[in-house]
Amino acid sequence: MKNIVSLNELTPESYPFAGGKGTALAAMKQQKLPVPEGFVVLSRAFCGGELSDSEKSEIARHLAAFTKRTSFAVRSSALHEDSGKASFAGAYETVLAVSNTDVLSAIQKVAASMHAQRVQTYAGSRNIPADGQMAVVVQKFIRPQFAGVLFTSDPITGSAAKMTGNYVTGVGEPLVSGDVNGQGFTFDSLYYSYSGPEELRPYARRLFRLAGKIARFFECPQDIEWAAAGGRVYVLQARPVTTLRRIDYDTFEINASLSGDYLFANTNVGEGFPNVITPMMWSLVESTSRTMGFPHFLDNICGHPYANMSVVYAGLKSFGFSKKLIRIITGDIAGQIPDNMEIPIFPFDKKYVRSALAGLFHRHALNKFSNMKTSEFLDRCEDLFREEMEIIHASGTNDSLLEVWQRNVGPFIRKLEISMFKNLRIGGIFNTRKEFIALIGEETANTLCSNCSGEDVLESMKPALFLEKVISGEISKTEYIEKYGHRSPEELEAGTPFPYENEQYIDNLIENYRSSGVSAVLLQKKQKERFEEAKTVFLQKYPRKARWLDRKIAWLQKSMQSREIVRSKGIRFVCILREFLLQCGKVNGIDGNVFYLYFDEAMDMLRGDNSALVHIAARKHTYEKYKLLPTFPSVIRGRFDPYEWMKSEDRNIDYFDGVHGRQPEDGNDEADRLTGFAGASGIVEGIVRVLNDFSEMNSLKTGEILVTAMTNIGWTPIFPRAAAIITNIGAPLSHAAIVAREFGIPAVVGCRNATARLRTGDRVRVDGGKGIVTILSQV
């Protein structure tokens, strides 16, 4: 194995011996970023702190590639240096402007600095072993006109609105070491805008673009060392901002709120991931966000996925949308962000996003699904799904599973993803309800939006409606499971069993449905009658808008059907993935523990690399620890420490503002009233039943008012039993609201803290048309 490796040739296998600086520089160099030429002396090259004659000869060979007049910068790259946990900035020795003949002695001097007292002191303060190993980076020395540092996010507040930097004339080592302060400058992160001394302006735009590329490449805020000379800007180092640490991949300890000043919301994400997500599924969520060009759009706070609304806001704003319009667009689906809660900026590059999205549809290697038309593929999706399952279960070795992934499962999933994108038509969802409200009021508008199934049946309603077909003998239990056994309360989590795996599932559903004494079919029929009445009311007021109304309703129906069908088909991907991963775990003797690996690690395991297995115990411990935490706030801004938050007697689960140290005002909430979104019209009084999890469904009695954190399609079979529905999380176009409207069940969604304020046995009045829950009496 080579112990002296050029930056262009350093591979991931050598990263553990190259240190943070060497690894980062090599990665950037190989991305064609302007990193000075050079090489790394890996830590394993040193034996007792010394280099062998053969290693010295290899260094001489690398130096021979430069002219004799070239001078070099010799810098430390300790294995603990420039990591997410510690920077060691200025702690180790750096030797600049070194001649060709003095490089060896400079390398020895830098390597020896690992024993310096300042290094030992810093390591102790960070609880890092002080006896770490040292790699050394040797690069062509850039004699700069200016040199400095640039933070892509504020290291104190975490704000990404501005990049902040300092620079000096000449070499930047005094600035990095803290000997001088330098001159300050800033960039606006979303739109280029420089503020600083005029002498730096000729380099400013190049530096801004380079910083953006580096932050996107490493997918976290960066502390960048740079030098400018001869009209060019060079990268001398890039390291994570240690004060904005987001995740420890080894242990799965993750808190995105610590990575910067952003606004997070779980309104829509919570429907798909109502509980703590496994490391495996989180790695795939990260990968999906990255593939779409929106790294960290879906992020994670202590095991719970959240949407980073700062990413959405910055993205839409960069494409010219106003702040008011952005709130309207996102409000119905993601939930309304309070007007007095600022949405901080996330760095965003629309060119990068366009490029990433275009890459989704580029031609890839031919496979068994390549020539299949999208419509044909989706029509045959269920049959293809069963075929792939059989192939997976027949694979009993790592080699065969690798082949199955490459030839079957991977192509199936990719074809499904592309087909879903191509067939998703959701334009009618946006603004239609708002237009109705403006003309006829919210209550009638919601009723007009209650016939989304049209002549067909909405996918999210079928698990409830088709139970009657099983009971009547129109379809068999097996057919029901084949069609709907993939829909569950945790259907996006491959680490959780699906209903089709439980032989008793359908029998339990039928028993509960019969005992309810309620007919989902009749509920839907009555709601269609209310829908026709609402149309009559609208047309009496606006007789000339008949064609307009029909067109709007048809567009909404088409959009909702498309959204629900795509979601249902997409869950097949999770099922296939679960079966594949379970088979990987079975073949390698770790069974369900495979979900405590990340996806790339599972694939490495199939190739014979089991090094990641040592992390399973720590990640499992973290996962179980996160499961014990209470429900988090629906909206979080700034740094959120759940353990400190839990200590507060007046904590709530609606909003948390870690920047201003206060909560947004609760609007119209009073001691005897909760407010949320008007989900489905109707007024009902009744007794509350709080369910913390779908597993408690048997306790819901017919005619009680269901109160829970959130619902998704997995809850649909018990909806007909509820007299009304109240949720913490939700928006007018979230699952609870849509299905409640279709069944004519009054609903108030997005109440934020309903499960905290209400108890089983309380009596309330639910006004679904106005989005108000009045507390009549409490136990």
Side-chain angles (χ1 to χ4, degrees):
M1 294 187 296
K2 291 183 178 181
N3 290 330
I4 317 297
V5 187
S6 74
L7 294 175
N8 282 317
E9 296 175 344
L10 190 71
T11 61
E13 290 74 22
S14 295
Y15 286 174
F17 308 99
K21 185 180 281 102
T23 296
L25 288 172
M28 290 188 290
K29 184 70 174 175
Q30 292 166 27
Q31 288 293 313
K32 310 301 182 184
L33 295 175
V35 174
E37 296 291 339
F39 57 90
V40 184
V41 181
L42 301 181
S43 61
R44 65 191 180 204
F46 296 94
C47 182
E50 301 294 329
L51 295 169
S52 68
D53 290 341
S54 63
E55 308 295 7
K56 291 176 181 178
S57 297
E58 185 65 12
I59 291 172
R61 187 183 70 80
H62 278 274
L63 292 174
F66 299 88
T67 66
K68 290 186 178 180
R69 288 187 294 180
T70 302
S71 59
F72 298 89
V74 182
R75 308 166 73 198
S76 64
S77 185
L79 302 195
H80 293 300
E81 187 179 2
D82 294 333
S83 66
K85 298 180 180 179
S87 68
F88 284 89
Y92 296 103
E93 198 70 51
T94 293
V95 188
L96 303 177
V98 180
S99 67
N100 189 300
T101 56
D102 291 333
V103 168
L104 278 175
S105 61
I107 290 174
Q108 295 286 12
K109 182 178 181 179
V110 170
S113 69
M114 64 183 290
H115 302 297
Q117 183 58 49
R118 61 181 180 272
V119 173
Q120 309 299 308
T121 301
Y122 182 84
S125 70
R126 292 281 177 155
N127 197 29
I128 295 173
D131 56 350
Q133 295 178 298
M134 173 73 79
V136 177
V137 174
V138 180
Q139 290 176 280
K140 180 180 178 180
F141 175 59
I142 302 299
R143 199 171 297 278
Q145 180 181 357
F146 306 112
V149 296
L150 177 61
F151 292 94
T152 60
S153 291
D154 189 302
I156 305 301
T157 67
S159 172
K162 291 186 181 297
M163 299 183 189
T164 60
N166 294 86
Y167 75 96
V168 294
T169 301
V171 297
E173 192 59 30
L175 180 64
V176 176
S177 301
D179 295 334
V180 298
N181 291 326
Q183 299 191 69
F185 64 95
T186 62
F187 297 118
D188 184 292
S189 293
L190 195 55
Y191 302 106
Y192 171 73
S193 175
Y194 169 72
S195 178
E198 283 300 309
E199 63 178 355
L200 188 63
R201 189 176 293 277
Y203 294 102
R205 189 177 291 272
R206 293 185 185 90
L207 181 57
F208 170 77
R209 290 174 176 170
L210 184 58
K213 289 179 181 179
I214 293 171
R216 285 192 296 274
F217 175 66
F218 288 113
E219 297 184 2
C220 65
Q222 292 289 300
D223 171 2
I224 301 168
E225 294 179 28
W226 56 272
R232 297 188 65 188
V233 177
Y234 298 88
V235 186
L236 305 182
Q237 173 55 342
R239 62 175 71 89
V241 179
T242 55
T243 56
L244 303 178
R245 184 173 176 234
R246 169 176 166 267
I247 184 171
D248 184 330
Y249 282 100
D250 288 351
T251 63
F252 191 53
E253 292 178 292
I254 179 170
N255 189 338
S257 75
L258 304 182
S259 68
D261 178 18
Y262 306 128
L263 184 72
F264 300 93
N266 69 349
T267 300
N268 204 254
V269 183
E271 286 192 2
F273 295 103
N275 297 312
V276 176
I277 190 172
T278 59
M280 173 62 70
M281 290 309 297
W282 174 242
S283 71
L284 290 165
V285 168
E286 274 200 309
S287 177
T288 299
S289 294
R290 188 180 302 117
T291 300
M292 294 179 64
F294 291 85
H296 308 325
F297 159 56
L298 294 176
D299 222 316
N300 190 319
I301 298 178
C302 297
H304 294 276
Y306 276 75
N308 188 330
M309 300 306 294
S310 293
V311 176
V312 178
Y313 176 69
L316 292 175
K317 187 176 180 182
S318 72
F319 281 99
F321 290 82
S322 68
K323 181 177 179 180
K324 181 179 180 180
L325 185 56
I326 291 170
R327 288 179 179 268
I328 291 173
I329 290 173
T330 60
D332 272 4
I333 293 179
Q336 196 66 43
I337 304 300
D339 290 336
N340 59 347
M341 195 172 216
E342 179 188 358
I343 303 178
I345 285 293
F346 185 93
F348 190 88
D349 185 340
K350 58 185 177 184
K351 292 182 180 178
Y352 174 74
V353 174
R354 284 171 175 164
S355 176
L357 291 175
L360 287 174
F361 301 100
H362 282 176
R363 184 177 296 276
H364 292 266
L366 295 177
N367 58 67
K368 61 186 291 185
F369 305 111
S370 298
N371 296 324
M372 193 177 294
K373 292 182 179 180
T374 298
S375 56
E376 178 191 359
F377 178 83
L378 290 176
D379 288 342
R380 293 186 55 199
C381 189
E382 292 176 14
D383 292 334
L384 293 171
F385 168 74
R386 286 190 286 272
E387 290 175 13
E388 297 306 315
M389 296 277 254
E390 291 176 4
I391 293 171
I392 290 170
H393 295 153
S395 303
T397 66
N398 284 338
D399 288 342
S400 63
L401 283 167
L402 265 177
E403 184 177 0
V404 164
W405 177 263
Q406 294 163 357
R407 296 183 59 182
N408 295 79
V409 179
F412 177 85
I413 290 174
R414 177 158 185 80
K415 182 72 174 182
L416 185 57
E417 288 175 334
I418 293 174
S419 300
M420 285 161 52
F421 272 111
K422 287 184 176 180
N423 282 267
L424 188 60
R425 304 286 186 271
I426 59 173
I429 293 177
F430 300 106
N431 287 337
T432 301
R433 179 175 166 275
K434 299 286 186 184
E435 292 179 88
F436 288 166
I437 291 173
L439 292 170
I440 202 71
E442 189 164 25
E443 188 165 352
T444 304
N446 278 340
T447 306
L448 287 174
C449 293
S450 70
N451 192 36
C452 291
S453 55
E455 297 303 317
D456 198 356
V457 177
L458 207 61
E459 283 292 317
S460 55
M461 300 174 65
K462 288 180 180 179
L465 291 171
F466 278 46
L467 276 176
E468 291 197 17
K469 292 189 176 185
V470 177
I471 294 171
S472 67
E474 189 174 342
I475 65 173
S476 68
K477 295 178 182 179
T478 301
E479 288 175 310
Y480 181 92
I481 288 296
E482 286 180 353
K483 288 183 177 295
Y484 311 114
H486 64 298
R487 308 308 303 264
S488 77
E490 295 186 67
E491 60 188 17
L492 292 182
E493 174 55 74
T496 301
F498 281 87
Y500 69 78
E501 301 175 58
N502 181 359
E503 295 181 357
Q504 302 301 316
Y505 175 77
I506 182 64
D507 293 325
N508 291 337
L509 281 184
I510 291 172
E511 181 181 348
N512 278 287
Y513 190 82
R514 279 175 167 160
S515 64
S516 71
V518 179
S519 168
V521 174
L522 289 179
L523 285 177
Q524 187 191 30
K525 183 179 179 181
K526 289 180 181 178
Q527 183 55 26
K528 285 184 179 292
E529 292 172 357
R530 296 190 190 101
F531 165 76
E532 294 297 336
E533 291 171 1
K535 280 188 66 177
T536 300
V537 170
F538 182 93
L539 293 175
Q540 285 174 345
K541 188 172 184 179
Y542 302 101
R544 296 183 179 182
K545 283 185 172 289
R547 292 180 63 186
W548 177 89
L549 179 62
D550 287 341
R551 189 167 61 251
K552 285 290 182 180
I553 290 174
W555 194 25
L556 177 62
Q557 290 172 346
K558 183 178 180 180
S559 296
M560 290 304 305
Q561 286 283 10
S562 172
R563 178 193 183 196
E564 295 291 323
I565 290 171
V566 165
R567 172 71 177 267
S568 180
K569 301 288 186 186
I571 301 304
R572 299 288 185 186
F573 146 68
V574 185
C575 298
I576 284 284
L577 186 67
R578 173 172 170 79
E579 297 299 328
F580 175 77
L581 291 169
L582 284 174
Q583 193 70 1
C584 291
K586 179 181 178 181
V587 168
N588 288 277
I590 61 172
D591 297 322
N593 282 330
V594 70
F595 293 103
Y596 297 101
L597 297 177
Y598 303 123
F599 183 74
D600 288 345
E601 293 172 342
M603 298 304 286
D604 288 341
M605 179 177 66
L606 297 183
R607 299 184 185 99
D609 179 2
N610 293 322
S611 58
L613 299 185
V614 300
H615 301 306
I616 287 178
R619 293 173 190 169
K620 195 170 186 177
H621 173 76
T622 301
Y623 177 81
E624 295 296 334
K625 177 178 69 174
Y626 286 160
K627 285 176 66 177
L628 297 176
L629 294 171
T631 302
F632 290 174
S634 299
V635 178
I636 293 174
R637 181 190 174 184
R639 295 173 181 252
F640 174 73
D641 182 339
Y643 299 98
E644 287 298 319
W645 172 75
M646 287 168 58
K647 297 177 184 177
S648 175
E649 293 183 359
D650 61 347
R651 73 175 189 267
N652 57 52
I653 56 174
D654 48 7
Y655 302 111
F656 174 86
D657 189 337
V659 174
H660 299 102
R662 59 177 174 77
Q663 307 288 342
E665 296 179 8
D666 290 335
N668 297 321
D669 280 4
E670 299 173 1
D672 64 344
R673 184 169 68 174
L674 291 82
T675 59
F677 294 104
S681 301
I683 299 175
V684 169
E685 289 187 15
I687 301 299
V688 162
R689 174 68 62 176
V690 178
L691 299 187
N692 296 309
D693 189 81
F694 184 73
S695 62
E696 303 171 353
M697 68 172 185
N698 290 343
S699 63
L700 178 67
K701 296 181 176 64
T702 301
E704 290 184 324
I705 294 174
L706 170 62
V707 178
T708 188
M710 51 68 59
T711 68
N712 58 26
I713 193 170
W715 291 68
T716 301
I718 70 168
F719 266 40
R721 272 192 269 163
I725 297 168
I726 304 169
T727 67
N728 294 338
I729 299 171
L733 292 178
S734 62
H735 172 267
I738 292 169
V739 177
R741 281 198 292 269
E742 295 293 306
F743 281 133
I745 303 170
V748 179
V749 299
C751 287
R752 305 185 302 277
N753 56 359
T755 56
R757 293 189 58 187
L758 298 176
R759 296 286 183 272
T760 295
D762 291 352
R763 186 172 184 83
V764 299
R765 179 188 300 115
V766 178
D767 187 335
K770 295 180 180 179
I772 296 174
V773 178
T774 304
I775 303 172
L776 303 176
S777 64
Q778 293 191 284
V779 295

